Amino acid sequence: MLEDTSFAIHPGKDQTSKAVVYRDIGNLIAEDFSTTIFKFTCESGNVAIQFYTNSIVRITMNPQTDPKLNQSKSVIVKPEKVNVEASSKGEIITLATSQLQLKIKRAPFRVDIFDKLGKELVSETERGMAYRENGEVVAFKKMHDYDHFYGFGEKSGHLDKRDEKFEMWNSDVYAPHNPETNALYESIPYFMTLRNGRAHGVFFDNTFRSNFDMASSENYYTFSAEGGQLDYYVMAGPEPKSVLEQYTYLTGRIPLPSKWSLGYHQSRYSYESEVEVRELAQNFIDKDIPVDVIHLDIHYMNGYRVFTFDKERFPNPEKLISDLRKMGIRVVPIVDPGVKKDPEYAIYQEGVNEDLFCKYIEGETYFGEVWPGISAFPDFTEEKVRKWWGEKHAFYTKIGVEGIWNDMNEPAVFNESKTMDLEVMHRNDGKPTTHRELHNVYGLLMGKATYEGMKEQLDGKRPFLLTRAGYAGVQRYASVWTGDNRSFWEHLQMSLPMVMNLGLSGVAFTGPDVGGFAHDTNAELLTRWTQVGAFTPFFRNHSAIGFRYQEPWQFGEKYEAIMKRYIQMRYEWMPQLYSLFYEASQKGLPVMRPLLMEYPDDEKTYNLNDQFMLGDNVIFAPILQPAITDRAVYLPEGNWVEFSTGEVFEGEKTYLIHAELEDLPIFVKQGTALMQGEWVSNNQKTPQNVSMNVYAGIIGEKYQFTFYDDDGETFAYEEGNYLKLKIEVISSKDKVEVNVVQKQGDFIPEYKEITINGIGLSDGQKLLVNGQQTNYIPVI
Ligand code: GLC
């Protein structure tokens, strides 16, 4: 309790102990290159090196035994057949693929990794791989003067993570979320280094509590974990995009989300009754404010028992859900892992009778307190339990639910440690393992159970899952919101780098609670936040019990009109957004990106926190402070057209841009194109008209992009029921050409053609579509 007083820095308190001794891996004693796994026996540890592709190498060091290579919860691929040339000259062993070169020194054992041009990626100096007697493992890696670091999953603070330290330990943090809060709900022990315009990635696949220290030295950085192996992958890049493709090749990509899940979500802890939910929905309809989802927080349950409804508050959930569905609105209920200890409650009975809850090695069930009171926790590390939990979701799917919100799945427990006893022994599919080791994957595995169960029951429809906790690979199952933020301008500011770094960590479908969860929001903050939210991948307004309601109409007509406009814009931009989500599902690239992703040679983008891009051609520069109507906007190379005014700005300059409360500065790159749909109404969300704005470009420029569409809610696209157009835009002196270079799929959309709007064409420039002087592309 004294930790937030000066007592925290009492000189008598243990700072870093001088007695900490790392044992270096020592010299190489023997090597074995007889298989595709290159094995090295060293004085104080054993190393295995495997190439997953030409660009991805895995290094595993086990201080005690042979490296264990088959225990990852997040890597979903096996090594490909890679052509590796091994050679040895004096002190140095070289292993080379077409993209990577490893130079391995024998004494002491050091592994330096270079790209195909011979540029250093990840290397070691006087210190390399090491461990401590207490089981800790650590890697020391050389830091370069110009290194910038990104990723690390869900972290507070700025975009560039150089000079920061992070802990990976899934934690329920109601407060504070400030720049030094370094463990939050998600642990993604992965980062990307940007060095002189070139990028590479490191994924440290260790589920124990781990630490990344990019702050203590200018010469090296470290990553370490409380136990387990030093098991890490290096991805060669060299562009930020290829690093992310490589990382998500290993850990998976987001499933293509349903369109409705990309719409506007309204939530509150809690809408407490059916009557309240109906009124809420009707308000959206009456006001013509778009909404796709209403979330039900914990009050819908009977005494917070999962898989139940409170029959007084919600007497007829099935009717409620089907009535809302007719209004174009879906219901997403919250499901937490804690199952109330109640011998008269069926889920608890089943869990006990079928032996599905987390237990100690001695056989007693672990109990902890959460919303329902004393609760037991399903052991999601076991296949049988995941299946059971998945099947239980029939309770929701049979009344029309298509999406689930998983919360408190760190797991959060109301006690000093904030979580489950670390000594709990998870069954882990036949390999019993302590909670200390598997804590960080509890949420991931709950997500797996839920997503897979829902998918099974939804019979061809895409499930939506929202989760708070996760580990590397969480993107395969769930979208992630950034937890309990507050209605502070600082939290609006922080949400941008946070969402961008999550995107750089493979989690493309993310967003914060718009308006702020705790604390009272206010009209201006909510309005500015809604403008940003309209363009973040996940768009949900959520607020906490005891604080002001923050639906878009709570602050009067003036603000309501602005928020309504931006929520509608979200729907107008849906064709563009959906194409970007398709790209995320194919390549792992984020929908919302920092500018450095597209302009890695431009240093001005390296720590640009208050601007973001959607895809590769649109920059957003929202106002993130109260009472401010002018802000600096940096535009990189190229010419940029302000979306609402059409004004053209030359790149590689900073401008002071004016933006009244109703304005969000958006800049589209000249020479590119933007797909636009339309807002029709809540029960008619599919646009009848889709258009393409073509921004005439600099002479000689060529731009290519993919427009993707399908029914937006089923898996029929897997059988070819989609529309995919590869489109190029070529600007020259007398014409702007739009060509469909490839058309794939047999989906027939409601719109028959795509209307082309030429924007900024000069007098002599004609618009040519597929070589003709028309202004549309037929799609059927
Ligand atoms: C946690 C969640 C929050 C939710 C609340 C009640 O604080 O982070 O979003 O509203 O629990 O379920």
Side-chain angles (χ1 to χ4, degrees), residues 151-161 173 176-179 181 183-186 188 480-485 490-505 507 510-513 529 536-537 592 594 608-610 612:
F152 300 100
E154 183 185 57
K155 296 295 173 201
S156 52
H158 285 138
L159 188 61
D160 183 356
K161 300 301 190 196
V173 185
H177 289 199
N178 68 30
T181 310
L184 283 166
Y185 316 88
E186 299 262 327
I188 305 184
V480 170
W481 98 102
T482 57
D484 296 346
N485 63 0
E490 290 79 356
H491 279 190
L492 166 57
Q493 290 154 20
M494 196 164 74
S495 72
L496 266 56
M498 208 165 175
V499 171
M500 289 192 276
N501 272 318
L502 269 162
L504 288 177
S505 309
V507 191
T510 49
D513 282 343
W529 209 325
T536 47
M592 173 174 170
L608 196 52
N609 289 279
D610 59 358
F612 64 90

Side-chain angles (χ1 to χ4, degrees), residues 155-216:
K155 296 295 173 201
S156 52
H158 285 138
L159 188 61
D160 183 356
K161 300 301 190 196
R162 188 173 173 136
D163 301 326
E164 299 288 348
K165 288 182 193 171
F166 299 108
E167 183 179 274
M168 299 292 172
W169 185 251
N170 290 0
S171 307
D172 169 22
V173 185
Y174 175 66
H177 289 199
N178 68 30
E180 64 170 10
T181 310
N182 63 25
L184 283 166
Y185 316 88
E186 299 262 327
S187 293
I188 305 184
Y190 159 81
F191 66 94
M192 177 184 92
T193 305
L194 184 61
R195 182 183 300 155
N196 296 322
R198 294 171 74 83
H200 62 268
V202 174
F203 170 40
F204 178 32
D205 191 10
N206 182 313
T207 62
F208 280 89
R209 187 191 294 266
S210 60
N211 284 283
F212 289 79
D213 184 348
M214 328 310 266
S216 296

Side-chain angles (χ1 to χ4, degrees), residues 269 297-298 334 371 405 407-408 468 481 484 517 540 542:
Y269 168 31
D297 208 324
I298 55 175
I334 196 167
W371 306 124
W405 166 20
D407 185 26
M408 305 294 272
R468 195 170 73 172
W481 98 102
D484 296 346
F517 176 65
R540 182 181 75 156
H542 180 49

Side-chain angles (χ1 to χ4, degrees), residues 236-277:
E239 297 89 23
K241 284 184 186 171
S242 41
V243 176
L244 213 48
E245 283 194 58
Q246 290 153 5
Y247 169 70
T248 55
Y249 165 82
L250 289 177
T251 60
R253 295 170 182 147
I254 64 164
L256 185 64
S258 57
K259 283 186 190 164
W260 62 265
S261 67
L262 301 182
Y264 177 72
H265 298 233
Q266 182 65 53
S267 185
R268 167 130 184 124
Y269 168 31
S270 301
Y271 296 120
E272 294 191 13
S273 69
E274 201 174 303
V275 176
E276 196 182 358
V277 172

Side-chain angles (χ1 to χ4, degrees), residues 168-172 183-185 187 207-209 381 408-413 417-422 424 426 433-445 469-471:
M168 299 292 172
W169 185 251
N170 290 0
S171 307
D172 169 22
L184 283 166
Y185 316 88
S187 293
T207 62
F208 280 89
R209 187 191 294 266
T381 66
M408 305 294 272
N409 51 347
E410 293 73 28
V413 181
S417 79
K418 296 183 177 171
T419 193
M420 186 178 283
D421 192 332
L422 304 186
V424 163
H426 292 290
T433 306
T434 58
H435 189 68
R436 189 165 82 96
E437 181 168 349
L438 294 182
H439 171 80
N440 281 342
V441 292
Y442 189 82
L444 173 83
L445 297 173
Y471 179 74

Side-chain angles (χ1 to χ4, degrees), residues 31-40 86:
E31 68 248 30
D32 173 1
F33 292 181
S34 60
T35 69
T36 53
I37 304 172
F38 297 90
K39 291 186 178 158
F40 303 85

Side-chain angles (χ1 to χ4, degrees), residues 60 98 157 205 295 375 400 442 452 601 650 652 743 749:
T60 314
S98 63
D205 191 10
H295 288 246
S375 303
Y442 189 82
E452 288 173 356
D601 290 313
E650 216 176 284
E652 291 181 281
K743 179 172 188 259

Side-chain angles (χ1 to χ4, degrees), residues 616-759:
D616 62 7
N617 65 333
V618 192
I619 292 177
F620 293 77
I623 300 277
L624 305 169
Q625 279 170 286
I628 294 284
T629 48
D630 294 277
R631 60 155 292 172
V633 178
Y634 176 69
L635 297 172
E637 173 260 308
N639 281 342
W640 298 82
V641 185
E642 208 289 315
F643 180 71
S644 58
T645 60
E647 194 180 340
V648 180
F649 295 83
E650 216 176 284
E652 291 181 281
K653 287 197 180 120
T654 301
Y655 296 91
L656 188 66
I657 300 291
H658 186 70
E660 291 292 325
L661 188 63
E662 49 268 41
D663 300 327
L664 166 65
I666 304 174
F667 301 86
V668 187
K669 192 165 189 180
Q670 270 194 352
T672 74
L674 195 59
M675 303 302 302
Q676 297 280 288
E678 59 183 356
W679 167 248
V680 188
S681 70
N682 265 309
N683 51 22
Q684 168 48 56
K685 294 204 175 85
T686 312
Q688 310 294 300
N689 298 298
V690 166
S691 56
M692 186 175 135
N693 295 348
V694 180
Y695 294 82
I698 301 167
I699 309 311
E701 229 171 28
K702 180 165 162 182
Y703 176 71
Q704 261 211 358
F705 72 103
T706 299
F707 168 62
Y708 177 87
D709 202 3
D710 62 20
D711 67 26
E713 58 173 326
T714 75
F715 284 97
Y717 69 89
E718 289 178 347
E719 266 76 60
N721 197 232
Y722 60 82
L723 168 68
K724 197 163 122 183
L725 303 179
K726 199 179 263 175
I727 297 172
E728 64 178 20
V729 176
I730 307 168
S731 296
S732 57
K733 197 159 162 275
D734 54 352
K735 55 183 186 278
V736 175
E737 293 169 87
V738 176
N739 297 319
V740 178
V741 287
Q742 196 180 43
K743 179 172 188 259
Q744 285 175 297
D746 52 27
F747 174 67
I748 300 177
E750 293 202 10
Y751 47 92
K752 310 277 172 279
E753 58 194 36
I754 296 171
T755 313
I756 317 284
N757 305 314
I759 294 181

